[in-house]
Amino acid sequence: DTEVTQTPKHLVMGMTNKKSLKCEQHMGHRAMYWYKQKAKKPPELMFVYSYEKLSINESVPSRFSPECPNSSLLNLHLHALQPEDSALYLCASRPQGNGEETQYFGPGTRLLVL
Amino acid sequence: TQLLEQSPQFLSIQEGENLTVYCNSSSVFSSLQWYRQEPGEGPVLLVTVVTGGEVKKLKRLTFQFGDARKDSSLHITAAQPGDTGLYLCAGAGKDDSWGKLQFGAGTQVVVTP
């Protein structure tokens, strides 16, 4: 089983709204990632969590706030977003510590900021 | 930063034709993944190559990893409309413990009946 799930599938929000994106995996992976992807472009890394600790923040604006409540869950809290933040947000996970480097992606959340 | 150059950017072919996508870098990768992505969906893993010179086959898809682990190719034989999608290569750096992937720019493949 190499499944990463993400909810919601689609999200429309205003610039003053607060919303959260959720990601879940039950593969025992200890590294989890948030990416942002614009149309016809490759994914851009936002955050990396390793063993539930934030390991990398790629200079992402503070209106994006990640959270890792446990080893299976990853959230991305959104507040006061801008229209240019509209994109496909992808979660990925990877085994950690055994040399396996493959990342498995979820289906994504398509976000539209009005 | 390890740059991964992917070519071509766009390929439009007829059903039954063959195609090849290339990913090249001046840096060595410890592994390289190929993904296919459809609009509005997440990238789906096709293969991971790890060993220099490795060749992997997945039905009509053949993947090669260069001897020096700096380049890779994806060859599709007798393409079908279901092969349409954005193909992404992504390399994992040798010395990166966080597993950060360097993505190629992607190749949009369109296979028409």
Side-chain angles (χ1 to χ4, degrees), chain A residues 9 31 33 35 37 40-45 48 50 55-56 58 88 90 94 96 100-108 110, chain B residues 30-33 35 37 39-45 48 86 88 92-94 96-101 103-106 108:
Chain A
K9 178 77 172 168
Y33 305 76
Y35 289 87
Q37 186 180 26
K40 301 190 189 307
K41 298 290 186 183
E44 298 173 26
L45 183 64
V48 180
S50 178
S55 303
I56 293 179
E58 292 284 30
L88 182 67
L90 295 164
R94 178 183 80 105
Q96 183 87 343
E100 168 62 64
E101 296 166 331
T102 300
Q103 290 186 27
Y104 298 90
F105 285 85
R110 179 160 292 284
Chain B
S30 59
S31 69
L32 193 138
Q33 285 88 55
Y35 298 88
Q37 186 177 24
E41 300 289 334
V44 175
L45 178 71
T48 298
L86 179 68
L88 293 162
K94 273 179 47 185
D96 187 341
S97 59
W98 306 119
K100 288 177 66 173
L101 293 178
F103 281 88
Q108 182 63 52

Side-chain angles (χ1 to χ4, degrees), chain B residues 5-20:
Chain B
E5 295 183 359
Q6 188 171 344
S7 62
Q9 283 188 312
F10 184 79
L11 262 178
S12 180
I13 60 172
Q14 299 273 45
E15 182 176 3
E17 294 181 338
N18 302 332
L19 67 96
T20 303

Side-chain angles (χ1 to χ4, degrees), chain A residues 48-65:
Chain A
V48 180
Y49 271 84
S50 178
Y51 292 93
E52 295 96 71
K53 292 185 179 176
L54 183 62
S55 303
I56 293 179
N57 175 341
E58 292 284 30
S59 303
V60 177
S62 59
R63 56 186 185 268
F64 295 91
S65 175

